[in-house]
Structure formats: structure tokens, C-alpha cells
Amino acid sequence: MGANNHLTVTPTNHRLTERQVAETIGREYDEMEVYGETSEELLEAVRLLLKMNDYLFDAIEAHGVHVEFTEEDPYETYEEMCSDIVVNDRLKIFSGGTHPSHISRDDNLKSRAVHDYWGHYKNDCDFSFWGEFQKWHAMKAWYPEPVHRLTFQEVVGQTGLAYYLEGGFSNPEFEQKTFLAPTRWANLCYRNYPGDLQ
């Protein structure tokens, strides 16, 4: 073969970038059709999720941190949220935006608090796509296995959608959906995550 006629080989250690993984998942999330009857598997995952979230939400206050709901998105950065928790014993949670159909608005707000405190803050995971994946990975230990695909969809899938849509979470097309994430999404993240997961 001549110099210009060589085969292109992708190295076995090649990783997709954070944006490539996020947008791949986000595009598939956007295209996901979730109409029709809700499966028993999904209903059971929701039941288990809510049960654990009730416990974890109450435990935030037991740790001396007051949860305050606000109509304005309270934090520009992860560091700002952490500072508020450390300095003021307070965690502000955005009460606006969209809410999924599988849980009530109040349960969704509790879920946001649980994931910000026990996921982001306690595991030192920022608000990036990889930070959301890290958070999901760390929080799997808190939830029974049937919940993992639901929380992946809620945490990593929705963040992927925000990366995929122009304007992110503010895009009018952003919609929280109710489904169990395909396992290939988690596999894609594990294959391409650039750090070590504990």
C-alpha cells in the first residue's frame, strides 16, 4: 500500500469525549417514544425510588441542613452550592422547570434535593455530564438494582438531553420523560469515562 492508501485503525484505548457521549445519549433520549401503558417494571422502580428518597430527604434535615425551595435556579456552580451548605447549613432547590409524569411535583423536588445533597455534595461531583454520571454511579449503592435504570434516565439521560438541545435545560423542547434507560447508555459511559470510579 502506498503512503496515502493505509487502513485507518481506531486504537482500542480510544475514548469518546464527554460532549460526544452526552450528545449521543441526549439524541436517543430526545427520540425515545414513551407513550402507552406503564410497565410493571417501571412502576416497581418508581415505588422503590420514592421509598428511599423519603428516607434520604428526611436524613438531610437530620444532618442539620435546611432544604429551601426556590423559583429561581439557586446556584451557578457546584462550588456555590457546596459553600451554601457549609457556611449556611442550607441547600436551595430549584422548584421550577418540568416534572416527570411518573412522580408528583413534590416527590420530584425531594428527588432533586436528595441527588444534590447525597449525590453531588457528599460525593464531590460537579454539575458536568461526567459529574452527573459519577453521582449516579456513587448513588447506585443507595438504591436497589431495579431503580438503577430509572435513576440513570433521570440523572444522566436528562443531562445528556440538555447537552444535545441548543439552550440546554431552557430549551422549550426539553421534556422529562418516564422510562427505564437502555443499559447501553450506562455501558457507553463506563467505557468512555476518563477517571476512576470508586
Side-chain angles (χ1 to χ4, degrees), residues 34-81:
V34 293
Y35 309 105
E37 243 179 80
T38 305
S39 71
E40 288 301 317
E41 183 182 19
L42 177 57
L43 292 173
E44 178 64 5
V46 169
R47 186 187 70 74
L48 293 168
L49 172 74
L50 296 179
K51 183 176 180 180
M52 191 63 193
N53 278 355
D54 283 342
Y55 169 79
L56 291 172
F57 181 81
D58 292 343
I60 297 170
E61 294 270 346
H63 276 79
V65 176
H66 172 69
V67 177
E68 181 181 309
F69 298 102
T70 175
E71 292 181 10
E72 299 297 320
D73 201 352
Y75 307 115
E76 290 289 324
T77 66
Y78 163 73
E79 293 78 14
E80 191 179 339
M81 180 191 75

Short mmCIF file of all heavy atoms in Angstrom, two decimals, residues 34-81:
data_model
loop_
_atom_site.label_atom_id
_atom_site.label_comp_id
_atom_site.label_asym_id
_atom_site.label_seq_id
_atom_site.Cartn_x
_atom_site.Cartn_y
_atom_site.Cartn_z
N VAL A 34 -42.33 7.33 24.54
CA VAL A 34 -42.71 6.77 25.84
C VAL A 34 -44.22 6.80 26.06
O VAL A 34 -44.67 6.99 27.17
CB VAL A 34 -41.98 7.49 27.00
CG1 VAL A 34 -40.49 7.21 26.96
CG2 VAL A 34 -42.24 8.98 26.96
N TYR A 35 -44.95 6.61 25.00
CA TYR A 35 -46.39 6.69 25.11
C TYR A 35 -46.97 5.30 25.34
O TYR A 35 -46.36 4.30 25.01
CB TYR A 35 -46.97 7.33 23.85
CG TYR A 35 -46.28 8.63 23.52
CD1 TYR A 35 -45.37 8.71 22.48
CD2 TYR A 35 -46.49 9.76 24.31
CE1 TYR A 35 -44.70 9.90 22.20
CE2 TYR A 35 -45.83 10.94 24.04
CZ TYR A 35 -44.94 11.00 22.99
OH TYR A 35 -44.28 12.17 22.73
N GLY A 36 -48.13 5.25 25.92
CA GLY A 36 -48.78 3.97 26.14
C GLY A 36 -48.76 3.59 27.61
O GLY A 36 -48.52 4.41 28.49
N GLU A 37 -48.98 2.32 27.86
CA GLU A 37 -49.07 1.81 29.22
C GLU A 37 -47.72 1.79 29.91
O GLU A 37 -46.70 1.51 29.30
CB GLU A 37 -49.63 0.38 29.19
CG GLU A 37 -50.96 0.26 29.89
CD GLU A 37 -51.48 -1.16 29.82
OE1 GLU A 37 -51.01 -1.98 30.61
OE2 GLU A 37 -52.34 -1.39 28.96
N THR A 38 -47.73 2.05 31.20
CA THR A 38 -46.51 1.99 32.00
C THR A 38 -46.30 0.56 32.46
O THR A 38 -47.20 -0.08 32.98
CB THR A 38 -46.64 2.93 33.22
OG1 THR A 38 -46.96 4.24 32.76
CG2 THR A 38 -45.36 2.97 34.02
N SER A 39 -45.09 0.04 32.26
CA SER A 39 -44.80 -1.35 32.60
C SER A 39 -44.76 -1.56 34.11
O SER A 39 -44.50 -0.62 34.88
CB SER A 39 -43.46 -1.77 31.99
OG SER A 39 -42.39 -1.13 32.68
N GLU A 40 -44.98 -2.78 34.52
CA GLU A 40 -44.89 -3.15 35.94
C GLU A 40 -43.47 -2.92 36.46
O GLU A 40 -43.27 -2.51 37.59
CB GLU A 40 -45.32 -4.60 36.16
CG GLU A 40 -46.81 -4.83 36.01
CD GLU A 40 -47.63 -4.00 36.99
OE1 GLU A 40 -47.26 -3.91 38.18
OE2 GLU A 40 -48.66 -3.42 36.57
N GLU A 41 -42.49 -3.19 35.61
CA GLU A 41 -41.08 -3.00 35.98
C GLU A 41 -40.81 -1.53 36.31
O GLU A 41 -40.14 -1.21 37.30
CB GLU A 41 -40.19 -3.47 34.84
CG GLU A 41 -38.71 -3.39 35.13
CD GLU A 41 -37.85 -3.82 33.95
OE1 GLU A 41 -38.33 -3.84 32.79
OE2 GLU A 41 -36.66 -4.11 34.19
N LEU A 42 -41.34 -0.63 35.50
CA LEU A 42 -41.16 0.80 35.74
C LEU A 42 -41.90 1.24 37.01
O LEU A 42 -41.35 1.97 37.82
CB LEU A 42 -41.64 1.61 34.54
CG LEU A 42 -41.57 3.14 34.66
CD1 LEU A 42 -40.17 3.62 34.98
CD2 LEU A 42 -42.08 3.80 33.39
N LEU A 43 -43.11 0.76 37.19
CA LEU A 43 -43.89 1.12 38.39
C LEU A 43 -43.18 0.66 39.67
O LEU A 43 -43.16 1.38 40.67
CB LEU A 43 -45.30 0.53 38.32
CG LEU A 43 -46.21 1.13 37.24
CD1 LEU A 43 -47.51 0.34 37.16
CD2 LEU A 43 -46.48 2.60 37.51
N GLU A 44 -42.59 -0.52 39.63
CA GLU A 44 -41.86 -1.02 40.80
C GLU A 44 -40.61 -0.18 41.05
O GLU A 44 -40.29 0.15 42.20
CB GLU A 44 -41.48 -2.49 40.60
CG GLU A 44 -40.66 -3.09 41.72
CD GLU A 44 -41.39 -3.17 43.07
OE1 GLU A 44 -42.59 -2.84 43.17
OE2 GLU A 44 -40.73 -3.54 44.07
N ALA A 45 -39.92 0.20 40.00
CA ALA A 45 -38.73 1.06 40.16
C ALA A 45 -39.12 2.39 40.79
O ALA A 45 -38.43 2.90 41.68
CB ALA A 45 -38.04 1.27 38.80
N VAL A 46 -40.24 2.97 40.35
CA VAL A 46 -40.71 4.24 40.90
C VAL A 46 -41.06 4.08 42.38
O VAL A 46 -40.68 4.91 43.21
CB VAL A 46 -41.93 4.77 40.10
CG1 VAL A 46 -42.60 5.93 40.82
CG2 VAL A 46 -41.51 5.17 38.70
N ARG A 47 -41.76 3.00 42.73
CA ARG A 47 -42.14 2.76 44.12
C ARG A 47 -40.90 2.68 45.02
O ARG A 47 -40.83 3.31 46.07
CB ARG A 47 -42.96 1.47 44.23
CG ARG A 47 -43.52 1.21 45.62
CD ARG A 47 -44.17 -0.15 45.73
NE ARG A 47 -43.21 -1.25 45.69
CZ ARG A 47 -42.39 -1.58 46.70
NH1 ARG A 47 -42.42 -0.90 47.83
NH2 ARG A 47 -41.55 -2.59 46.58
N LEU A 48 -39.90 1.94 44.59
CA LEU A 48 -38.67 1.79 45.37
C LEU A 48 -37.89 3.10 45.46
O LEU A 48 -37.33 3.44 46.50
CB LEU A 48 -37.79 0.69 44.76
CG LEU A 48 -38.36 -0.73 44.83
CD1 LEU A 48 -37.55 -1.68 43.95
CD2 LEU A 48 -38.39 -1.22 46.27
N LEU A 49 -37.86 3.85 44.36
CA LEU A 49 -37.19 5.15 44.34
C LEU A 49 -37.81 6.10 45.36
O LEU A 49 -37.10 6.71 46.16
CB LEU A 49 -37.29 5.76 42.94
CG LEU A 49 -36.80 7.21 42.80
CD1 LEU A 49 -35.29 7.27 42.84
CD2 LEU A 49 -37.32 7.82 41.51
N LEU A 50 -39.13 6.21 45.34
CA LEU A 50 -39.81 7.14 46.24
C LEU A 50 -39.62 6.75 47.70
O LEU A 50 -39.43 7.61 48.57
CB LEU A 50 -41.29 7.22 45.90
CG LEU A 50 -41.61 7.80 44.51
CD1 LEU A 50 -43.11 7.81 44.28
CD2 LEU A 50 -41.01 9.17 44.33
N LYS A 51 -39.65 5.46 47.98
CA LYS A 51 -39.46 4.98 49.35
C LYS A 51 -38.08 5.39 49.88
O LYS A 51 -37.95 5.93 50.98
CB LYS A 51 -39.63 3.47 49.40
CG LYS A 51 -39.53 2.86 50.77
CD LYS A 51 -39.80 1.36 50.72
CE LYS A 51 -39.71 0.77 52.11
NZ LYS A 51 -39.97 -0.68 52.09
N MET A 52 -37.06 5.18 49.07
CA MET A 52 -35.70 5.53 49.50
C MET A 52 -35.52 7.04 49.55
O MET A 52 -34.87 7.56 50.46
CB MET A 52 -34.68 4.89 48.56
CG MET A 52 -33.27 4.98 49.07
SD MET A 52 -33.13 4.06 50.63
CE MET A 52 -31.56 4.64 51.20
N ASN A 53 -36.10 7.76 48.59
CA ASN A 53 -35.97 9.22 48.59
C ASN A 53 -36.62 9.86 49.81
O ASN A 53 -36.12 10.85 50.34
CB ASN A 53 -36.55 9.82 47.31
CG ASN A 53 -35.58 9.76 46.16
OD1 ASN A 53 -34.44 9.35 46.30
ND2 ASN A 53 -36.04 10.13 44.99
N ASP A 54 -37.75 9.31 50.28
CA ASP A 54 -38.37 9.83 51.51
C ASP A 54 -37.40 9.73 52.68
O ASP A 54 -37.23 10.68 53.44
CB ASP A 54 -39.66 9.06 51.84
CG ASP A 54 -40.83 9.47 50.96
OD1 ASP A 54 -40.77 10.56 50.34
OD2 ASP A 54 -41.81 8.70 50.90
N TYR A 55 -36.76 8.59 52.79
CA TYR A 55 -35.79 8.38 53.87
C TYR A 55 -34.60 9.34 53.73
O TYR A 55 -34.19 10.00 54.70
CB TYR A 55 -35.31 6.93 53.87
CG TYR A 55 -34.14 6.68 54.77
CD1 TYR A 55 -34.30 6.55 56.15
CD2 TYR A 55 -32.85 6.61 54.24
CE1 TYR A 55 -33.20 6.36 56.97
CE2 TYR A 55 -31.75 6.41 55.06
CZ TYR A 55 -31.94 6.28 56.42
OH TYR A 55 -30.84 6.09 57.24
N LEU A 56 -34.03 9.42 52.54
CA LEU A 56 -32.84 10.25 52.32
C LEU A 56 -33.15 11.74 52.46
O LEU A 56 -32.31 12.51 52.94
CB LEU A 56 -32.22 9.96 50.95
CG LEU A 56 -31.56 8.59 50.80
CD1 LEU A 56 -31.16 8.34 49.34
CD2 LEU A 56 -30.36 8.46 51.73
N PHE A 57 -34.34 12.16 52.04
CA PHE A 57 -34.72 13.56 52.19
C PHE A 57 -34.79 13.94 53.67
O PHE A 57 -34.24 14.96 54.09
CB PHE A 57 -36.06 13.83 51.50
CG PHE A 57 -36.49 15.27 51.59
CD1 PHE A 57 -35.97 16.21 50.72
CD2 PHE A 57 -37.40 15.69 52.55
CE1 PHE A 57 -36.35 17.55 50.79
CE2 PHE A 57 -37.79 17.02 52.63
CZ PHE A 57 -37.27 17.95 51.75
N ASP A 58 -35.44 13.12 54.48
CA ASP A 58 -35.52 13.39 55.92
C ASP A 58 -34.14 13.39 56.56
O ASP A 58 -33.88 14.16 57.49
CB ASP A 58 -36.41 12.35 56.61
CG ASP A 58 -37.88 12.49 56.21
OD1 ASP A 58 -38.27 13.55 55.67
OD2 ASP A 58 -38.63 11.51 56.43
N ALA A 59 -33.23 12.57 56.04
CA ALA A 59 -31.88 12.49 56.59
C ALA A 59 -31.07 13.75 56.32
O ALA A 59 -30.13 14.05 57.06
CB ALA A 59 -31.16 11.26 56.04
N ILE A 60 -31.41 14.51 55.28
CA ILE A 60 -30.71 15.79 55.03
C ILE A 60 -30.93 16.72 56.22
O ILE A 60 -29.98 17.28 56.77
CB ILE A 60 -31.20 16.44 53.72
CG1 ILE A 60 -30.87 15.58 52.52
CG2 ILE A 60 -30.56 17.84 53.55
CD1 ILE A 60 -31.52 16.03 51.21
N GLU A 61 -32.18 16.89 56.61
CA GLU A 61 -32.51 17.75 57.76
C GLU A 61 -31.89 17.20 59.04
O GLU A 61 -31.43 17.96 59.90
CB GLU A 61 -34.04 17.88 57.91
CG GLU A 61 -34.71 18.61 56.76
CD GLU A 61 -34.84 20.12 56.95
OE1 GLU A 61 -34.65 20.62 58.08
OE2 GLU A 61 -35.12 20.80 55.94
N ALA A 62 -31.86 15.88 59.17
CA ALA A 62 -31.25 15.26 60.35
C ALA A 62 -29.75 15.57 60.44
O ALA A 62 -29.19 15.56 61.53
CB ALA A 62 -31.49 13.75 60.34
N HIS A 63 -29.14 15.86 59.30
CA HIS A 63 -27.73 16.26 59.27
C HIS A 63 -27.55 17.77 59.51
O HIS A 63 -26.46 18.29 59.39
CB HIS A 63 -27.09 15.89 57.93
CG HIS A 63 -26.61 14.48 57.88
ND1 HIS A 63 -27.44 13.41 57.66
CD2 HIS A 63 -25.37 13.96 58.03
CE1 HIS A 63 -26.75 12.30 57.67
NE2 HIS A 63 -25.49 12.60 57.90
N GLY A 64 -28.66 18.44 59.84
CA GLY A 64 -28.58 19.86 60.18
C GLY A 64 -28.61 20.80 58.99
O GLY A 64 -28.27 21.98 59.11
N VAL A 65 -29.02 20.30 57.84
CA VAL A 65 -29.07 21.13 56.63
C VAL A 65 -30.54 21.37 56.29
O VAL A 65 -31.31 20.43 56.11
CB VAL A 65 -28.34 20.46 55.45
CG1 VAL A 65 -28.49 21.27 54.18
CG2 VAL A 65 -26.87 20.26 55.79
N HIS A 66 -30.90 22.65 56.19
CA HIS A 66 -32.27 23.02 55.85
C HIS A 66 -32.42 23.07 54.33
O HIS A 66 -31.61 23.68 53.64
CB HIS A 66 -32.61 24.39 56.45
CG HIS A 66 -33.92 24.93 55.99
ND1 HIS A 66 -35.12 24.37 56.37
CD2 HIS A 66 -34.22 25.95 55.16
CE1 HIS A 66 -36.11 25.03 55.79
NE2 HIS A 66 -35.58 26.00 55.05
N VAL A 67 -33.46 22.42 53.82
CA VAL A 67 -33.75 22.44 52.39
C VAL A 67 -34.76 23.55 52.12
O VAL A 67 -35.81 23.61 52.75
CB VAL A 67 -34.30 21.08 51.90
CG1 VAL A 67 -34.67 21.16 50.42
CG2 VAL A 67 -33.29 19.97 52.15
N GLU A 68 -34.38 24.43 51.20
CA GLU A 68 -35.23 25.58 50.86
C GLU A 68 -35.53 25.53 49.36
O GLU A 68 -34.62 25.49 48.55
CB GLU A 68 -34.48 26.86 51.22
CG GLU A 68 -35.20 28.14 50.94
CD GLU A 68 -34.34 29.35 51.32
OE1 GLU A 68 -33.82 29.38 52.46
OE2 GLU A 68 -34.18 30.23 50.47
N PHE A 69 -36.81 25.53 49.00
CA PHE A 69 -37.21 25.51 47.59
C PHE A 69 -37.35 26.93 47.07
O PHE A 69 -37.89 27.79 47.75
CB PHE A 69 -38.50 24.72 47.43
CG PHE A 69 -38.35 23.28 47.84
CD1 PHE A 69 -38.81 22.83 49.07
CD2 PHE A 69 -37.68 22.38 47.02
CE1 PHE A 69 -38.64 21.52 49.47
CE2 PHE A 69 -37.51 21.05 47.41
CZ PHE A 69 -37.99 20.63 48.63
N THR A 70 -36.86 27.15 45.86
CA THR A 70 -36.86 28.49 45.29
C THR A 70 -37.24 28.45 43.81
O THR A 70 -36.90 27.49 43.11
CB THR A 70 -35.47 29.16 45.46
OG1 THR A 70 -35.47 30.41 44.79
CG2 THR A 70 -34.35 28.31 44.91
N GLU A 71 -37.97 29.48 43.37
CA GLU A 71 -38.42 29.54 41.97
C GLU A 71 -37.29 29.90 41.01
O GLU A 71 -37.41 29.68 39.81
CB GLU A 71 -39.57 30.53 41.83
CG GLU A 71 -40.84 30.05 42.52
CD GLU A 71 -41.99 31.02 42.36
OE1 GLU A 71 -41.88 31.97 41.56
OE2 GLU A 71 -43.01 30.82 43.04
N GLU A 72 -36.22 30.50 41.54
CA GLU A 72 -35.05 30.83 40.72
C GLU A 72 -34.02 29.73 40.85
O GLU A 72 -33.83 29.17 41.93
CB GLU A 72 -34.45 32.16 41.18
CG GLU A 72 -35.40 33.34 41.07
CD GLU A 72 -35.80 33.63 39.64
OE1 GLU A 72 -34.94 33.55 38.74
OE2 GLU A 72 -36.99 33.93 39.42
N ASP A 73 -33.32 29.42 39.75
CA ASP A 73 -32.24 28.43 39.82
C ASP A 73 -31.19 28.99 40.78
O ASP A 73 -30.60 30.04 40.52
CB ASP A 73 -31.67 28.19 38.43
CG ASP A 73 -30.94 26.88 38.32
OD1 ASP A 73 -30.74 26.21 39.34
OD2 ASP A 73 -30.56 26.51 37.19
N PRO A 74 -30.95 28.35 41.92
CA PRO A 74 -30.20 28.98 43.00
C PRO A 74 -28.69 29.05 42.83
O PRO A 74 -28.05 29.93 43.40
CB PRO A 74 -30.55 28.13 44.22
CG PRO A 74 -30.89 26.79 43.67
CD PRO A 74 -31.49 27.05 42.31
N TYR A 75 -28.09 28.15 42.09
CA TYR A 75 -26.63 28.10 42.04
C TYR A 75 -26.12 28.11 40.60
O TYR A 75 -26.61 27.37 39.76
CB TYR A 75 -26.11 26.84 42.75
CG TYR A 75 -26.63 26.67 44.16
CD1 TYR A 75 -27.46 25.60 44.48
CD2 TYR A 75 -26.29 27.58 45.16
CE1 TYR A 75 -27.93 25.43 45.77
CE2 TYR A 75 -26.77 27.42 46.45
CZ TYR A 75 -27.59 26.34 46.76
OH TYR A 75 -28.06 26.17 48.04
N GLU A 76 -25.12 28.94 40.37
CA GLU A 76 -24.45 28.95 39.08
C GLU A 76 -23.46 27.80 38.97
O GLU A 76 -23.23 27.27 37.89
CB GLU A 76 -23.69 30.27 38.88
CG GLU A 76 -24.59 31.48 38.70
CD GLU A 76 -25.30 31.48 37.37
OE1 GLU A 76 -24.70 31.05 36.37
OE2 GLU A 76 -26.47 31.89 37.33
N THR A 77 -22.87 27.42 40.10
CA THR A 77 -21.82 26.40 40.09
C THR A 77 -22.00 25.42 41.24
O THR A 77 -22.67 25.70 42.23
CB THR A 77 -20.42 27.04 40.25
OG1 THR A 77 -20.33 27.62 41.56
CG2 THR A 77 -20.14 28.09 39.18
N TYR A 78 -21.36 24.29 41.10
CA TYR A 78 -21.30 23.28 42.15
C TYR A 78 -20.65 23.85 43.41
O TYR A 78 -21.13 23.64 44.52
CB TYR A 78 -20.51 22.07 41.62
CG TYR A 78 -20.02 21.13 42.69
CD1 TYR A 78 -20.91 20.29 43.36
CD2 TYR A 78 -18.67 21.08 43.03
CE1 TYR A 78 -20.46 19.43 44.34
CE2 TYR A 78 -18.22 20.21 44.00
CZ TYR A 78 -19.12 19.40 44.65
OH TYR A 78 -18.67 18.55 45.63
N GLU A 79 -19.59 24.61 43.22
CA GLU A 79 -18.87 25.20 44.36
C GLU A 79 -19.76 26.14 45.16
O GLU A 79 -19.68 26.19 46.38
CB GLU A 79 -17.60 25.93 43.87
CG GLU A 79 -16.54 25.02 43.29
CD GLU A 79 -16.81 24.54 41.87
OE1 GLU A 79 -17.70 25.10 41.19
OE2 GLU A 79 -16.14 23.58 41.44
N GLU A 80 -20.60 26.89 44.47
CA GLU A 80 -21.53 27.80 45.14
C GLU A 80 -22.52 27.01 46.01
O GLU A 80 -22.82 27.41 47.14
CB GLU A 80 -22.28 28.62 44.08
CG GLU A 80 -23.07 29.77 44.64
CD GLU A 80 -23.77 30.56 43.54
OE1 GLU A 80 -23.36 30.49 42.36
OE2 GLU A 80 -24.76 31.25 43.87
N MET A 81 -23.02 25.89 45.51
CA MET A 81 -23.92 25.05 46.30
C MET A 81 -23.21 24.52 47.54
O MET A 81 -23.74 24.58 48.65
CB MET A 81 -24.44 23.88 45.47
CG MET A 81 -25.38 22.96 46.23
SD MET A 81 -25.75 21.41 45.38
CE MET A 81 -24.21 20.51 45.65
#
